[in-house]
């Protein structure tokens, strides 16, 4: 256990808010009945955002740290009280393990946030992205990062795997999340640069809707 799991990272706040607001504004419910998998989830804020906006999504939040499992369970229970939303399923998963040793659960949307601390970890994350994209021709990937050292390695490894993408700034008003999910343009991979400052997203702690 590395001790990262209990911390609420600012980048996660930005990504969660972007997804939540877009899904709540969309009449199309693009994640209804869809399988969502979050890697390196920690407190699972992004997974909680998905289930808060789409109660009928099948969401699994994973982390390598066993300490994250009770955190995810407790957060999901607290978030679902008095609401129709479900709770994310918690599961142990090592991003750096091979697909043979620890295959990804099937998913329609793969999420990861602030997981590019080293080039090695970023390259492993890219391999997992490619694994998900090859497993399903309709799968999508969203990776958010505040500019960690491994960010260039992620882009390079994705390109080598045949899934070229570049980082776009979230504060530059990119194609809305829900709209991207239902449209063909924009590619299957979204890489979002989110500054590591939650104040930019109008919050300083976990949003009240969670």
């Amino acid at each position: 256990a590395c001790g990262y799991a209990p911390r609420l990272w600012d980048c996660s706040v930005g990504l969660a808010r972007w997804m939540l607001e877009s899904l709540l504004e969309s009449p199309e419910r693009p994640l209804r009945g869809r399988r969502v998998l979050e890697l390196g989830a920690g407190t699972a804020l992004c997974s909680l955002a998905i289930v808060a906006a789409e109660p009928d999504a099948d969401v699994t939040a994973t982390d390598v740290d066993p300490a994250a499992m009770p955190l995810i369970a407790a957060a999901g229970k607290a978030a679902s009280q008095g609401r129709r939303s479900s709770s994310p399923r918690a599961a142990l998963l090592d991003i750096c393990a091979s697909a043979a040793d620890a295959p990804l659960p099937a998913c329609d949307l793969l999420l990861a946030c602030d997981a590019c601390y080293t080039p090695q970890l970023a390259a492993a994350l890219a391999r997992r992205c490619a694994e998900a994209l090859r497993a399903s021709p309709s799968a999508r990937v969203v990776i958010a990062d505040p500019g960690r050292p491994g960010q260039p390695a992620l882009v390079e490894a994705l390109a080598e795997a045949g899934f070229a993408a570049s980082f776009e700034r979230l504060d530059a008003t990119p194609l809305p999340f829900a709209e991207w999910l239902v449209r063909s343009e924009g590619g299957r991979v979204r890489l979002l640069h989110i500054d590591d400052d939650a104040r930019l997203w109008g919050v300083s702690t976990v949003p009240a809707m969670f």
Side-chain angles (χ1 to χ4, degrees), residues 15-16 24 28 31 39 41 49-50 61 64 70 82 87 119 143 152 159 161 167 180 188 197 201 203 209:
L15 178 60
L24 290 176
E28 299 186 56
L31 290 181
L39 302 180
I50 296 293
V64 68
S87 297
I143 306 294
F167 274 90
W180 169 68
R188 297 173 65 196
D197 186 348
W201 319 115
V203 293
M209 67 280 291

Side-chain angles (χ1 to χ4, degrees), residues 139-171:
R140 301 290 184 99
V141 168
V142 176
I143 306 294
D145 187 78
R148 303 294 184 195
Q151 194 179 99
L154 174 71
V155 175
E156 181 179 352
L158 282 171
E160 290 177 352
F163 301 102
S166 58
F167 274 90
E168 53 188 318
R169 293 191 62 87
L170 189 60
D171 56 5

Side-chain angles (χ1 to χ4, degrees), residues 109-167:
L109 174 65
L110 182 69
L111 302 174
C113 188
D114 207 347
C116 295
Y117 284 93
T118 67
Q120 294 78 12
L121 180 56
L125 177 59
R127 289 194 295 271
R128 291 302 199 167
C129 293
E131 181 183 347
L133 292 166
R134 289 167 179 155
S136 171
S138 61
R140 301 290 184 99
V141 168
V142 176
I143 306 294
D145 187 78
R148 303 294 184 195
Q151 194 179 99
L154 174 71
V155 175
E156 181 179 352
L158 282 171
E160 290 177 352
F163 301 102
S166 58
F167 274 90

Side-chain angles (χ1 to χ4, degrees), residues 19-201:
M19 294 189 299
L20 177 72
E21 292 179 347
S22 182
L23 289 171
L24 290 176
E25 292 172 358
S26 173
E28 299 186 56
R29 300 185 65 183
L31 290 181
R32 184 178 187 179
R34 299 295 184 178
R35 300 161 299 179
V36 180
L37 180 67
E38 183 178 4
L39 302 180
T43 57
L45 182 62
C46 293
S47 291
L48 291 170
I50 296 293
V51 297
E54 180 46 81
D56 294 323
D58 180 5
V59 183
T60 301
T62 72
D63 202 283
V64 68
D65 189 347
M69 300 300 102
L71 291 176
I72 295 170
K77 182 177 180 180
S80 62
Q81 287 183 350
R83 301 176 184 270
R84 195 172 72 84
S85 61
S86 58
S87 297
R89 184 184 303 106
L92 284 170
L93 182 72
D94 185 355
I95 294 174
C96 296
S98 69
D101 292 335
L104 288 182
C107 64
D108 302 295
L109 174 65
L110 182 69
L111 302 174
C113 188
D114 207 347
C116 295
Y117 284 93
T118 67
Q120 294 78 12
L121 180 56
L125 177 59
R127 289 194 295 271
R128 291 302 199 167
C129 293
E131 181 183 347
L133 292 166
R134 289 167 179 155
S136 171
S138 61
R140 301 290 184 99
V141 168
V142 176
I143 306 294
D145 187 78
R148 303 294 184 195
Q151 194 179 99
L154 174 71
V155 175
E156 181 179 352
L158 282 171
E160 290 177 352
F163 301 102
S166 58
F167 274 90
E168 53 188 318
R169 293 191 62 87
L170 189 60
D171 56 5
T173 317
L175 182 67
F177 176 61
E179 187 175 346
W180 169 68
L181 288 173
V182 298
R183 291 169 59 177
S184 58
E185 59 261 38
R188 297 173 65 196
V189 179
R190 297 290 296 276
L191 303 180
L192 299 173
H193 180 96
I194 302 180
D195 287 318
D196 205 8
D197 186 348
R199 291 172 298 178
L200 294 172
W201 319 115

